[in-house]
Amino acid sequence: MDWIRLTKSGKDLTGLKGRLFEVTEEELEKHNKKDDCWICIRGFVYNVSPYMEYHPGGEDELMRAAGSDGTDLFDQVHRWVNYESMLKECLVGKMAVKPAIPKDYHEEKKVLNGMRPKSQVTDTRAREGPISPSYDWFQTDSLITIIIYTKQKDMNLDSVIVDYQHDSFRAETIIKDYSYLIHMELFRDIQEDFSVRVVENVGKIEIVLKKKEHTSWKCLGRALENHNSFTPRKDTAFYYRKCQLISKEDVTHDTKLFCLMLPPSSYLQLPIGQHVYLKLTIAGTEIVKPYTPVSHSLLFKLMEPILPDDKCIYFLIKIYPAGLFTPKLDHLQIGDFVSVSSPEGNFKISQFQELEDLFLLAAGTGFTPMVKILNYALTNIPSLRKVKLMFFNKTEDDIIWRSQLENLAFKDKRCDIEFVLSAPTSGWNGKQGHISRALLSEFLKRSLDKSKVLICICGPMPFTEQGIRLLHDLNFSKDEIHSFTA
């Protein structure tokens, strides 16, 4: 909040008296000290010196990009942060346009402004990425059908995201690490509900829209920004839709289950192991935080959801009373709206193929990605022999969905749950302490000598980093470990 107050104080944070400059690469390089630190992010240059003391990661993290293009570093650490809003009062100007790239330019050379020239992106994809999709459309008296030819055979429903808002129709198809976008102002109005179908064996996607008026369309519509584009996902901006809060309930003394309903005119399936970003406006500034959606329950047959899962998104969120974001979220009333991004993440469902042993290591709300993984593993992996969760918390009162986890282990003998507490009461008879080599070596026992193993880990950064070091010490390979970070 102190930083927000400072940005609204009227103080000249750039030191340039409100002027904007076109910054050359040579000029940028001169500003590389703590009291004079300029950083380029996606082609825009910011004087981050006033922000140094407020940066959660400390001054040293910012100094890693001092006097240079920090786009890649920014994307690695916290791509989700709305830096345009947070640093708008620190804007120095835009990077000067670089001269045309010579024909003998090589890919490994430094790329300024956070983007390659468009022609280079296309050339790189042609050599390394998937083939660009295409689309077509046809109509009847009452329907419009858009067909996307992905030229891929592993497509499914969670590869497609469709939104119709403010006369803008947007259909995004995720193909590996690329995004194919159809973005149009449609020729005529459509109804809010539409259907999406994927023909998996040929990679064809059909989106069926219902006309409001049964008249013939002369064309599909007018192309909007980035229509018919095929770009790496890391180069695409986040897209948000407003979702309505329809319920929230206490799970533990400080954690709640929130249920957000998608707009009727949105289609969004949430892939296992991926996260989204929630956005709220606080004190006039947009604040964004990543969260992993969960299922409404670990025991589907015992607990019916409020609405079908394809229209609701559930989140287990710990409320921090002294925090900035979660108290605001907690004070929302039923019926209020939260902006929700499209999902992202690098977990691949293919990691489950022929899996025999699945080990899950979670601390606190790092349990959230494990919810869908548990449900999926126990119902969709025929080769699975064993799934074990080691769940680290401070006290018994902190354990999320304890009774559901114990019920799950009771009903499915392949499932084993272990709780580890760092600050238990005297009556606690279970495991105690923090993540350690001793705990893990006992826990991570394969069902067979050479069984295929996957270990998923999620929690606070120190927990995750320490866990990964210990797993490598225990001779688990990089391919056998997946860490969830956002």
Side-chain angles (χ1 to χ4, degrees), residues 71-86:
T71 304
D72 288 343
L73 183 62
F74 174 83
D75 284 347
Q76 291 169 18
V77 179
H78 37 213
R79 178 174 173 247
W80 49 271
V81 171
N82 188 348
Y83 66 91
E84 296 103 324
S85 175
M86 188 171 293

Side-chain angles (χ1 to χ4, degrees), residues 421-461:
L421 302 182
S422 60
T425 62
S426 57
W428 174 251
N429 294 320
K431 287 185 168 63
Q432 301 183 26
H434 299 274
I435 191 167
S436 66
R437 182 182 179 116
L439 280 174
L440 294 186
S441 60
E442 181 185 348
F443 177 72
L444 300 169
K445 292 182 178 177
R446 301 174 188 256
S447 58
L448 296 173
D449 284 346
K450 296 184 179 180
S451 61
K452 184 176 178 182
V453 169
L454 178 65
I455 304 167
C456 297
I457 182 168
C458 186
M461 191 58 71

Side-chain angles (χ1 to χ4, degrees), residues 98-130 178 230-232 234-235:
K98 297 180 71 180
I101 297 173
K103 291 181 180 179
D104 61 350
Y105 177 88
H106 295 294
E107 285 291 329
E108 62 267 24
K109 287 187 178 180
K110 182 178 177 181
V111 178
L112 197 64
N113 303 351
M115 287 282 211
R116 289 189 176 94
K118 189 173 183 180
S119 61
Q120 260 189 286
V121 174
T122 304
D123 292 343
T124 303
R125 184 178 65 241
R127 290 195 305 272
E128 300 173 359
Y178 287 80
F230 188 47
T231 54
K234 66 182 180 64
D235 294 338

Side-chain angles (χ1 to χ4, degrees), residues 337-382:
F337 288 86
V338 180
S339 294
V340 180
S341 78
S342 299
E344 75 159 27
N346 57 7
F347 185 83
K348 307 293 184 188
I349 204 76
S350 59
Q351 293 173 254
F352 287 145
Q353 287 180 2
E354 300 179 358
L355 188 67
E356 294 169 283
D357 295 329
L358 175 62
F359 298 102
L360 310 175
L361 304 172
T365 49
F367 169 66
T368 54
M370 311 308 177
V371 174
K372 286 192 173 185
I373 287 176
L374 273 169
N375 279 326
Y376 183 90
L378 292 171
T379 54
N380 293 284
I381 307 178

Side-chain angles (χ1 to χ4, degrees), residues 251-306:
V251 176
T252 70
H253 64 99
D254 61 3
T255 301
K256 296 188 177 184
L257 179 67
F258 291 80
C259 179
L260 300 177
M261 184 171 63
L262 285 164
S265 54
S266 288
Y267 173 87
L268 172 64
Q269 301 286 308
L270 293 156
I272 292 169
Q274 296 205 1
H275 55 270
V276 299
Y277 299 94
L278 303 187
K279 181 169 67 174
L280 292 171
T281 300
I282 301 173
T285 298
E286 290 181 343
I287 306 296
V288 180
K289 291 289 182 184
Y291 292 100
T292 302
V294 299
S295 310
H296 66 275
S297 165
L298 281 169
L299 306 169
F300 287 130
K301 294 180 181 178
L302 300 182
M303 300 177 67
E304 291 300 319
I306 298 170

